[in-house]
Amino acid sequence: DSGVTQTPKHLITATGQRVTLRCSPRSGDLSVYWYQQSLDQGLQFLIQYYNGEERAKGNILERFSAQQFPDLHSELNLSSLELGDSALYFCASSGLQGFDTEAFFGQGTRLTVV
Amino acid sequence: GDSVTQMEGPVTLSEEAFLTINCTYTATGYPSLFWYVQYPGEGLQLLLKATKADDKGSNKGFEATYRKETTSFHLEKGSVQVSDSAVYFCALSVTGFQKLVFGTGTRLLVSP
């Protein structure tokens, strides 16, 4: 158990809909990272938050947004969903701003858009 | 830009065989290098890391040496077990940048 909790584990929704994925980082970790894992794109970095502030942005679509709350949990919001958004979405957390220390990954949320 | 290239899989081995999974990288600056492992149905776990040239990371019998001259970080294990069957990801992080760049992953299948 990595200590990072992601909910829900599975999500099936229709095109055009909006969903929210939730991540609770390891106790004490200030950084949260979101990754998308799809068969054709591999693991893609989406966005990072550190102590409530956005710190880095990757290949995140404008239809996607995220935030980190004062209790350090994070949510990834995906809207106007398309079939191509079907993927495994991972959250990771670490204690410092960078990955030079170990990052811990949750088990992921599998999103299926039908 | 920063990138990681690792050998395509699947790699199929018999138990107790020697394992090598190749990984090369391109990076601006001086990256830290990592191997992560993903077991079926689970998230990624850090397997080992190296933060500077000539460092050797090791864990659970796996080893990888940071080779700056060849920009490589190949993963090796002397004797694989069935329980090592998983997907292995090579990754880099450049100091000051807030993300890991992953390779495409290599699936390892070990048969008894």
Side-chain angles (χ1 to χ4, degrees), chain B residues 42-112:
Chain B
E42 298 185 14
L44 280 73
Q45 304 173 25
L46 179 66
L47 181 59
L48 54 84
K49 69 176 183 181
T51 57
K52 61 182 188 297
D54 299 325
D55 268 1
K56 177 186 282 188
S58 61
N59 186 25
K60 300 180 181 179
F62 291 89
E63 292 183 341
T65 301
Y66 189 142
R67 302 284 187 203
K68 189 177 176 184
E69 64 276 13
T70 54
T71 61
S72 65
F73 193 55
H74 304 321
L75 182 68
E76 296 181 337
K77 187 175 185 183
S79 176
V80 294
Q81 306 299 312
V82 172
S83 57
D84 294 327
S85 297
V87 180
Y88 293 82
F89 293 90
C90 185
L92 69 82
S93 172
V94 179
T95 303
F97 291 83
Q98 309 305 324
K99 62 178 182 178
L100 275 174
V101 176
F102 284 94
T104 52
T106 302
R107 183 175 299 278
L108 171 64
L109 300 170
V110 181
S111 57

